[in-house]
Amino acid sequence: GSSPSQCLEINTTSEDYKLLENMNKLTSLKYLEMKDIAINISRNLKDLNQKYADLQPYLEQIDLIEEQVAALEQAAYKLDAYSKKLEAKYKKLEKR
């Protein structure tokens, strides 16, 4: 009949095949998982891009408002300086 070492070899080979089969199963599961993750990521990116596009007009408005506020501040400083000059002139006139 067959020697014990032959039996061992056949067993080892079938164990190796089982191991390979399991590894293949795991690998394909991992790939499916990764594919799902990639799909989710791209879906989320699309959502984010859409939200950003929706926000864009508001962001532009905020920029405009900021520019207007800066211009108003400049005007307020000028007005302040002008009123101080007027005040000084008035005090000079009062002293006469």
Side-chain angles (χ1 to χ4, degrees):
S2 59
S3 69
S5 70
Q6 256 185 326
C7 248
L8 196 70
E9 270 176 38
I10 291 166
N11 264 350
T12 308
T13 311
S14 76
E15 286 297 316
D16 284 349
Y17 275 125
K18 273 183 195 163
L19 189 66
L20 273 175
E21 206 180 331
N22 283 338
M23 280 168 71
N24 279 340
K25 277 181 192 166
L26 276 174
T27 306
S28 63
L29 276 174
K30 269 286 169 213
Y31 273 118
L32 282 174
E33 223 176 277
M34 283 163 77
K35 188 178 148 195
D36 278 349
I37 290 169
I39 288 169
N40 281 333
I41 288 173
S42 83
R43 201 176 293 144
N44 288 338
L45 271 176
K46 273 183 196 161
D47 285 353
L48 273 176
N49 281 332
Q50 187 54 53
K51 282 176 186 165
Y52 186 73
D54 294 345
L55 275 177
Q56 195 58 40
Y58 297 107
L59 294 172
E60 284 168 11
Q61 281 179 352
I62 289 169
D63 285 344
L64 272 176
I65 291 167
E66 276 184 343
E67 282 170 26
Q68 288 167 349
V69 167
L72 271 174
E73 273 180 352
Q74 286 302 312
Y77 285 134
K78 283 178 185 167
L79 202 62
D80 191 45
Y82 183 66
S83 68
K84 279 178 182 160
K85 271 186 195 168
L86 274 181
E87 204 180 334
K89 273 186 185 172
Y90 180 72
K91 279 182 180 166
K92 269 186 191 172
L93 283 173
E94 256 189 340
K95 279 179 184 172
R96 280 185 186 172

